[in-house]
Amino acid sequence: MKIQEYKRTCNNCGKVWHSLVERENQIMTSMKFDAASGCLSACYNHSASAQRSHNFDTAMDTLEKIRACPNCGSKNYVEEIIEYEK
């Protein structure tokens, strides 16, 4: 089984960090699902729509944190995908 990770290097402080490609893809997929289902049912169930909106915002925050330098918070980085066997 192959594992893929983003290897990110901050252009501001030089910190290197890794993030699983699969994890980021799962977050993106959940965001797309929440956005699409929210549009379909917004007029039918306000509380469910509010929950989907909250879920979308939480996923977006998580993704932004993953993609920001854990050392200085910068979003200015170079990334490459590395792959290895598990």
Side-chain angles (χ1 to χ4, degrees):
M1 173 182 214
K2 292 189 180 201
I3 303 294
Q4 290 184 319
E5 289 183 336
Y6 292 109
K7 177 184 176 186
R8 296 185 172 120
T9 305
C10 181
N11 289 326
N12 289 341
C13 71
K15 172 77 174 173
V16 175
W17 74 100
H18 298 259
S19 176
L20 291 171
V21 171
E22 182 178 351
R23 179 177 182 216
E24 291 194 26
N25 288 342
Q26 288 172 344
I27 293 168
M28 296 279 288
T29 299
S30 73
M31 289 170 55
K32 289 176 186 173
F33 176 77
D34 285 336
S37 62
C39 291
L40 293 174
S41 67
C43 60
Y44 296 110
N45 186 339
H46 186 302
S47 63
S49 179
Q51 182 62 47
R52 276 188 288 281
S53 178
H54 173 73
N55 292 348
F56 180 87
D57 291 344
T58 300
M60 179 63 88
D61 289 344
T62 300
L63 199 56
E64 286 181 6
K65 286 178 186 174
I66 290 171
R67 292 179 175 173
C69 175
N71 189 49
C72 70
S74 174
K75 294 179 185 176
N76 180 12
Y77 56 82
V78 175
E79 78 179 10
E80 63 180 298
I81 295 179
I82 57 173
E83 189 173 275
Y84 57 90
E85 292 288 331
K86 181 174 182 182

